[in-house]
Structure formats: C-alpha cells, structure tokens
DNA sequence: CGGCTGACTCTAG
DNA sequence: GCTAGAGCCAGCC
C-alpha cells in the first residue's frame, strides 16, 4: 500500500499527543514531516470526522485556542482540556510549548 | 488562471 | 499582553 498521505500523518501526530498535554499546529505539522504546514494541520482538523481524535489538544503557537472566544468550538475545547487536567485561562493554556518540549525529550522525539 | 478564505506563525511597535 | 502587517499553504469558486 502507498505511504500515508499528509493528512494521515497529521492525524497520527495528533493521536500521539499524551492525555493532559497539548501541542501547537506547527508542532504537529513538523512531527508529521511537514514543517511549515501549520495551516494544513488546521485544515485537516477542521474536516476530521473521527470522534476519538484528541483535536482539543491542538492549540496555536502561543498556547491559545484557535477558535473565536465564545464560539461553540471554543467552549467545547476548553471544556475538554479542563476535563483532563489542563489549565485553561481566558482561552489560553499555560506552558503549552514548555510542557510539550519537556516530554519530547523524554520520548526521544524531536 | 485569478481571487478569497482560513482551527496558522513571526516580527514590530 | 495587544494589535498590525506580511508570509504561507491548500482548497474552492
């Protein structure tokens, strides 16, 4: 069978985010072997239909939720994050990158 | 082919 | 911490 499509690799990268942790769109794209394709990662998520996909663990580079504040998606994402112990303040997650990079070293990823 | 759009990112001020 | 502007990429009309 052919090698996985870009979208498949992005989805795999999203599924690899441990529970209770978060990653940025650019980070996901990079891990999928698509550096600089953050927008593609966002696009893939917008069209995903997999209920098991932890899409709520993906944030913007500055640790903010990518949805407009107050929107349905925004509330849903912050609710899911908090339910797994992630601290969400005013649409922003503390230590989005730091926490992830820390574990990245542990996993041997990079 | 041209133009618009978006769950993006980076740099400046 | 905030807003603006520019750069970027893929999909759609």
């Amino acid at each position: 069978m052919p090698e996985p499509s870009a979208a498949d690799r992005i989805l795999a990268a999203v599924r690899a985010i441990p529970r209770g942790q978060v990653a940025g769109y650019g980070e996901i794209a990079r891990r999928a072997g698509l550096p600089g394709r953050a927008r593609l990662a966002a696009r893939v998520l917008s069209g995903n239909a997999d209920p098991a996909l932890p899409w709520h663990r993906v944030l913007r580079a500055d640790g903010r939720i990518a949805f407009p504040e107050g929107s349905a998606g925004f509330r849903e994402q912050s609710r899911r994050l908090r339910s797994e112990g992630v601290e969400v303040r005013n649409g922003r997650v503390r230590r989005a990158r730091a926490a992830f990079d820390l574990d990245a070293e542990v996993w041997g990823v990079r």
Side-chain angles (χ1 to χ4, degrees), chain A residues 22 53-59 76-78 80-81 83-84:
Chain A
V22 295
L53 188 74
W55 56 269
H56 55 282
R57 297 180 189 145
V58 186
L59 307 167
E76 175 67 3
Q77 184 163 16
S78 46
R80 290 195 184 203
L81 286 173
S83 77
E84 32 183 83

Side-chain angles (χ1 to χ4, degrees), chain A residues 50-110:
Chain A
D50 183 356
L53 188 74
W55 56 269
H56 55 282
R57 297 180 189 145
V58 186
L59 307 167
R60 294 207 303 219
D62 57 5
R64 287 194 164 197
I65 289 177
F67 291 104
E69 191 171 341
S71 67
F74 178 95
R75 288 194 306 272
E76 175 67 3
Q77 184 163 16
S78 46
R79 186 185 69 72
R80 290 195 184 203
L81 286 173
R82 278 193 278 254
S83 77
E84 32 183 83
V86 178
E87 227 180 301
V88 183
R89 285 215 10 160
N90 206 17
R92 188 161 56 178
V93 171
R94 281 175 166 281
R95 280 191 201 170
R97 294 225 251 184
F100 192 64
D101 288 345
L102 200 63
D103 285 74
E105 284 189 56
V106 178
W107 309 338
V109 185
R110 219 172 220 275

